[in-house]
């Protein structure tokens, strides 16, 4: 008997996640150096300095298991969000919270509704449990088509994701549409609002999803320390859920799923308001610069509420930028072969990307 016959069919059918390659590896392959990576929506300003300082003090304690209840971080975050501490569920990245949701809610025959293109982890966690993805195309403007998503809900739907702002398009839905949508849904499904990029959103009518955690049973809002706080490498994110759902997610997680260093760094980063302001300020300037310059080159750019832009640069751009030492995210896997997703960098990185795109547009090498 072959090993593959022992593997559960829905696991066998999984496609491996395609991560951006490490810079060192790409440079080796291409024989280049000094490349820039604008591919994974990481903080271009590095991590929060307060987080680094706190980490340095805690290195000597890594022989100890983490605090399985994340006591200090939980208390601080609960106060910040105005959510009772018991309603917070921490994970090794928000990715783990997604996975916990799937584990707790989904099995063969169950359906999970989400928009597409959207976050690449949704299909992975759904299929990982042998459940069925129901993908609802974004509307003409590449915004979540909330009425169509509501219409896709049926008696098999256990879970629905809303990614706001949406990755990889950067688009966001406003409060009016969001509130109407949430109010229209039946009660017997879990709604998970993925707010990984909430701190970058600028539109004044950005929805208050946390208010729905208080109002609607079975609602969870997910956030991460990976993006705004620059802690992607430590792996920490969380969900703020209605109390009953939070309780089940807690039971399903591993007792030490969040590592000690991540807990310490996240708690310190929460207090680093100056860093958050620097990151958001730099992001706004970078977004405006990239949008203006790319449009100037005749490239379609979607309005972004996040720390990246989706740009219709034409097929083959990803590979040509690579040759130039600029790493962006190809979008072919999302059904957008003529688009790339570009993370906002520091000014020199953004300028380098624009120059490379200009050379490509002008037919140079
Ligand atoms: C980055 C991201 C996450 C989670 O990131 P973690 O590093 O796992 O915390 C979740 N949702 C979206 C849409 C993201 O882009």
């Amino acid at each position: 008997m072959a090993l593959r016959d022992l593997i559960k069919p829905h696991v066998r059918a999984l496609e491996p996640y395609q991560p951006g390659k490490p810079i060192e590896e790409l440079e080796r392959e291409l024989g280049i150096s000094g490349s820039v990576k604008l591919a994974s929506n990481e903080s271009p300003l590095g991590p929060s300095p307060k987080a680094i300082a706190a980490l340095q003090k805690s290195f000597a304690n890594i022989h100890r298991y983490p605090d399985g209840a994340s006591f200090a971080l939980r208390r601080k975050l609960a106060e910040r969000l105005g959510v009772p501490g018991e309603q917070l569920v921490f994970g090794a990245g928000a990715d783990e919270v997604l996975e916990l949701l799937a584990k707790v809610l989904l099995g063969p025959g169950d359906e999970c509704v989400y928009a597409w293109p959207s976050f690449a982890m949704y299909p992975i966690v759904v299929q990982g449990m042998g459940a069925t993805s129901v993908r609802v195309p974004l509307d003409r403007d590449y915004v979540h088509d909330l009425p169509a998503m509501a219409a896709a809900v049926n008696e098999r739907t256990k879970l629905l994701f809303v990614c706001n702002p949406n990755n990889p398009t950067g688009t966001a839905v406003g409060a009016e549409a969001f509130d109407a949508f949430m109010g229209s849904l039946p009660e017997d499904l879990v709604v998970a609002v993925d707010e990984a990029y909430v701190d970058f959103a600028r539109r004044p009518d950005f929805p208050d999803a946390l208010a729905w955690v208080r109002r609607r049973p079975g609602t969870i809002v997910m956030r991460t320390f990976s993006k705004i706080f620059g802690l992607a490498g430590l792996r920490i994110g969380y969900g703020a859920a209605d109390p009953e759902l939070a309780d089940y997610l807690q039971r399903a997680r591993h007792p030490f799923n969040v590592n000690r260093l991540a807990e310490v760094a996240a708690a310190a980063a929460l207090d680093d308001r100056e860093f958050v302001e620097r990151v958001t300020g730099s992001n706004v300037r970078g977004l405006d610069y990239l949008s203006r310059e790319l449009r100037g080159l005749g490239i379609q750019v979607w309005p972004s509420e996040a720390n990246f832009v989706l740009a219709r640069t034409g097929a083959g751009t990803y590979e040509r930028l690579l040759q130039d030492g600029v790493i962006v995210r190809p979008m072919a896997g999302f059904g957008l072969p003529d688009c790339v997703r570009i993370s906002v960098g520091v000014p020199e990185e953004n300028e380098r990307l624009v120059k490379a795109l200009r050379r490509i547009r002008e037919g140079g090498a």
Side-chain angles (χ1 to χ4, degrees):
M1 133 120 77
L3 175 62
R4 74 183 303 277
D5 297 322
L6 296 174
I7 305 296
K8 292 192 258 184
H10 57 267
V11 174
R12 227 184 289 148
L14 281 174
E15 298 277 349
Y17 176 76
Q18 297 290 347
K21 281 186 193 167
I23 283 196
E24 299 80 8
E25 179 57 29
L26 268 176
E27 292 191 338
R28 209 163 25 239
E29 279 177 21
L30 297 170
I32 57 175
S33 61
S35 57
V36 301
K37 185 181 178 212
L38 301 174
S40 300
N41 304 340
E42 295 153 335
S43 162
L45 302 183
S48 145
K50 286 199 171 150
I52 297 177
L55 282 172
Q56 274 160 348
K57 279 197 237 154
S58 63
F59 288 146
N61 294 325
I62 56 170
H63 60 301
R64 302 280 183 208
Y65 279 100
D67 168 15
S70 306
F71 184 81
L73 174 62
R74 182 181 303 276
R75 192 168 58 184
K76 192 174 274 191
L77 189 59
E79 192 185 301
R80 180 69 52 87
L81 300 176
V83 171
E86 325 71 88
Q87 292 181 232
L88 298 175
V89 181
F90 294 96
D95 281 358
E96 193 192 11
V97 181
L98 291 174
E99 197 147 46
L100 285 173
L101 281 169
K103 184 174 161 188
V104 163
L105 293 161
L106 301 178
D110 297 328
E111 294 185 0
C112 174
V113 171
Y114 53 85
W116 199 256
S118 190
F119 190 40
M121 281 297 293
Y122 304 154
I124 294 173
V125 301
V126 173
Q127 199 189 329
M129 296 309 300
T132 303
S133 283
V134 177
R135 295 178 174 190
V136 179
L138 298 173
D139 72 13
R140 281 187 323 173
D141 299 321
Y142 282 5
V143 177
H144 273 54
D145 188 342
L146 295 178
M149 290 176 73
V153 169
N154 63 41
E155 65 284 352
R156 290 181 299 279
T157 312
K158 297 276 171 63
L159 177 62
L160 181 150
F161 289 119
V162 177
C163 188
N164 199 41
N166 187 44
N167 178 7
T169 57
T171 51
V173 296
E176 196 180 332
F178 181 80
D179 292 340
F181 168 72
M182 292 297 280
S184 78
L185 291 173
E187 284 190 353
D188 55 351
L189 77 155
V190 166
V191 179
V193 187
D194 185 342
E195 293 195 331
Y197 300 97
V198 66
D199 301 280
F200 298 103
R202 282 192 278 175
R203 62 186 288 174
D205 68 337
F206 193 82
D208 181 1
L210 279 177
W212 282 93
V213 172
R214 293 180 204 106
R215 270 160 76 181
R216 182 188 179 279
T219 304
I220 178 169
V221 172
M222 290 167 303
R223 294 184 180 173
T224 177
F225 287 90
S226 296
K227 312 282 157 62
I228 189 80
F229 295 113
L231 300 180
L234 280 176
R235 312 304 302 126
I236 179 161
Y238 62 93
D242 96 61
E244 201 182 346
L245 177 59
D247 180 46
Y248 286 116
L249 294 170
Q250 295 289 15
R251 296 186 210 192
R253 75 176 173 88
H254 296 227
F256 301 119
N257 60 332
V258 175
N259 75 78
R260 172 175 279 277
L261 296 177
E263 285 175 348
V264 166
L270 269 183
D271 286 334
D272 202 344
R273 306 234 182 202
E274 190 204 326
F275 179 72
V276 168
E277 268 170 38
R278 266 205 296 136
V279 172
T280 49
S282 152
N283 188 62
V284 165
R285 290 188 296 276
L287 262 188
D288 290 349
Y289 169 81
L290 285 176
S291 307
R292 191 175 59 240
E293 293 292 322
L294 267 57
R295 285 182 183 130
L297 292 172
I299 295 169
Q300 183 182 6
V301 177
W302 280 265
S304 173
E305 300 282 332
N307 64 348
F308 57 85
V309 288
L310 181 70
R312 180 163 278 153
T313 49
T317 309
Y318 163 70
E319 290 79 5
R320 296 179 68 181
L321 283 174
L322 260 192
Q323 302 298 328
D324 243 346
V326 180
I327 309 164
V328 297
R329 191 69 148 189
M331 287 288 110
F334 292 82
L336 305 171
D338 56 351
C339 294
V340 293
R341 190 195 67 192
I342 303 162
S343 305
V344 177
V346 294
E348 308 81 77
E349 294 171 324
N350 300 334
E351 284 159 23
R352 173 132 169 226
L353 167 96
V354 168
K355 277 195 194 124
L357 278 176
R358 186 173 297 128
R359 267 198 299 278
I360 293 170
R361 302 295 273 192
E362 287 165 358

